[in-house]
Amino acid sequence: MNTERPSNVSFFDFIGGVQLLQSENTRTAMPVLLIGVCVSGAVGNLLVLLIFIRDFRNGKGSEVKALLASLASTDLVILLLCAPVRAITYYKQTWTLGSFVCSTTDWFQHSCVVAKTLILAFTTRAKHTLIPSNATGGLHNPTWIHGALAFIWIVSMMFPIPQMLFASMLPYGRDNICVSEMPACASDFMSLFYKIYPTATFVVPVIYTVAYYTKTLHTAVNHAPRPQHQSKVILVLLCLSGALGLMLLPEWGTFTWIRLGYSRPPVGLMMFAQVLLYACSSLSPVILMTMYDDVRQGLISIWFIGTCRSKKRVPRKKCPKTEGNGAEVGANAVTNAISPGNEKTFPDVEHFWTGRRNTHVEEDQDPVPWEREEKML
């Protein structure tokens, strides 16, 4: 990477992935790695969304499930819209997606990352129980969830606006590169902003969420009347919050370090931070599927539904229909079981059942002639 920071800007950073790398191995490995993470994570988040939608349609929804469904939707958007941009940039090593994508890609990704953090923070105010159908007012009202999600996304889209303002395309030979550069005249104000921005949208929410669920888990295990059920849900949310804090820490660290005007971090650390960001979106559905009982049971139900539908498409052999009394049906079953293919027959058995089937028996073939004689008398 052979670029230097211009003298009239306070910081200079690439947007949409590190560009102008010299290594051919990185150009091949990074897109493959990002695409693998993107596909696996998209499938997992889509399954989680289907499970939550099915629960709400069956009347098994809750406020926590509504927020977790929004979290899965956000992860799905990150993996389907943000990760492919980075994969293309690493493969091309220059910017080929136009000025609009250059201006909005970092803003959009930061909006989704901030929304994820705030959604997990708002789960501390949500109820884990089912939403009653006649709920009115308070936290049991589903409109509270709608208002919370609207507030989260408005705040998440407002904070990263400087990412859009300072993004620009620069010519580099016959190609272009997408960079973020801030004029030196705005360095004092933006230096203060880039200290408040990560603190308010990442550090404080993560610390609050992890501390809240750690305390709640301790209380649920030691003092709750039903500690097993409560502690499982709380443990899932604690793992989600802890994983998000640890896996997004390198990305936030490198982002803040560059924008405060310090020397550029190693390129390997910057690429590792970006991979961890997308891996975090792929890890969330894994945690839900393995630790959340409702999601695990929903996954089993979806698997059974898919299996049964595939079996219905396979033609099944129908049992032959028989007419007559029960003795005839039993005779056919015995004959088929003993002699498949009708290759062997037993005359005595065949004669016995034939006699039973015939309603009119001739005198010469009557096996019990004395009964006929008694009736005649």
Side-chain angles (χ1 to χ4, degrees):
M1 187 171 58
N2 49 2
T3 59
E4 296 181 357
R5 185 176 68 182
S7 57
N8 60 340
V9 300
S10 59
F11 77 82
F12 181 87
D13 188 25
F14 288 108
I15 289 179
V18 182
Q19 302 161 48
L20 305 179
L21 294 174
Q22 303 297 328
S23 175
E24 291 293 331
N25 295 330
T26 304
R27 178 180 177 182
T28 305
M30 283 297 293
V32 173
L33 181 60
L34 290 177
I35 291 173
V37 172
C38 175
V39 172
S40 60
V43 172
N45 283 290
L46 186 60
L47 285 175
V48 170
L49 273 177
L50 291 176
I51 291 169
F52 284 139
I53 292 173
R54 182 173 175 270
D55 286 348
F56 276 97
R57 291 183 63 182
N58 295 335
K60 299 180 181 179
S62 64
E63 294 177 352
V64 168
K65 287 183 179 180
L67 292 176
L68 290 179
S70 178
L71 180 67
S73 303
T74 307
D75 285 330
L76 190 63
V77 169
I78 291 175
L79 293 171
L80 293 182
L81 297 182
C82 300
V85 173
R86 270 68 183 174
I88 294 173
T89 303
Y90 277 111
Y91 180 73
K92 295 291 186 179
Q93 283 304 300
T94 54
W95 190 258
T96 58
L97 300 177
S99 59
F100 176 77
V101 180
C102 176
S103 301
T104 58
T105 180
D106 258 24
W107 166 79
F108 184 72
Q109 177 169 291
H110 270 257
S111 299
C112 295
V113 171
V114 173
K116 284 181 56 176
T117 308
L118 296 181
I119 287 172
L120 282 176
F122 269 79
T123 57
T124 60
R125 301 289 297 168
K127 299 295 182 182
H128 304 162
T129 55
L130 302 180
I131 298 177
S133 58
N134 57 350
T136 56
L139 295 180
H140 291 283
N141 195 346
T143 56
W144 175 83
I145 297 296
H146 301 156
L149 291 176
F151 172 79
I152 288 171
W153 280 103
I154 291 174
V155 172
S156 301
M157 291 182 177
M158 289 180 60
F159 263 107
I161 286 179
Q163 299 297 104
M164 194 187 324
L165 298 178
F166 298 137
S168 61
M169 289 180 58
L170 297 180
Y172 185 80
R174 292 181 299 179
D175 300 317
N176 294 316
I177 58 175
C178 183
V179 298
S180 176
E181 51 182 2
M182 183 178 63
C185 58
S187 59
D188 294 336
F189 173 78
M190 295 308 300
S191 177
L192 177 63
F193 173 79
Y194 282 122
K195 292 176 182 177
I196 298 175
Y197 172 46
T199 304
T201 59
F202 175 71
V203 178
V204 172
V206 168
I207 292 178
Y208 168 75
T209 307
V210 172
Y212 176 86
Y213 283 123
T214 302
K215 180 182 178 181
T216 308
L217 180 63
H218 179 269
T219 305
V221 171
N222 295 324
H223 304 289
R226 295 178 58 191
Q228 185 176 5
H229 175 72
Q230 295 183 14
S231 59
K232 284 184 178 180
V233 180
I234 296 170
L235 183 61
V236 170
L237 296 172
L238 177 61
C239 291
L240 286 174
S241 304
L244 182 139
L246 291 176
M247 300 184 76
L248 295 186
L249 182 61
E251 172 67 18
W252 279 107
T254 55
F255 172 85
T256 308
W257 187 268
I258 293 174
R259 277 149 183 80
L260 290 181
Y262 300 107
S263 59
R264 182 181 299 274
V267 177
L269 177 60
M270 297 170 63
M271 293 189 296
F272 177 70
Q274 292 183 4
V275 172
L276 280 184
L277 186 148
Y278 302 118
C280 178
S281 297
S282 300
L283 181 62
S284 297
V286 176
I287 295 175
L288 291 174
M289 291 180 186
T290 55
M291 300 182 64
Y292 199 2
D293 290 340
D294 293 347
V295 176
R296 187 167 61 249
Q297 293 172 3
L299 183 63
I300 295 173
S301 301
I302 290 178
W303 182 81
F304 274 119
I305 292 173
T307 305
C308 293
R309 286 183 178 177
S310 62
K311 287 183 178 179
K312 287 180 180 179
R313 297 176 182 177
V314 179
R316 294 180 294 183
K317 295 182 180 180
K318 296 183 178 180
C319 298
K321 295 182 179 180
T322 57
E323 296 180 358
N325 54 19
E328 183 180 357
V329 177
N332 293 334
V334 172
T335 305
N336 294 334
I338 297 177
S339 56
N342 295 328
E343 296 179 357
K344 296 181 181 180
T345 58
F346 296 91
D348 296 338
V349 178
E350 184 179 6
H351 172 73
F352 175 76
W353 290 113
T354 304
R356 285 293 186 179
R357 285 197 300 266
N358 295 332
T359 56
H360 300 284
V361 182
E362 299 180 1
E363 294 182 2
D364 296 338
Q365 297 179 357
D366 192 358
V368 284
W370 54 85
E371 293 182 359
R372 179 182 296 273
E373 294 175 0
E374 290 178 358
K375 291 181 180 180
M376 294 178 62
L377 294 175

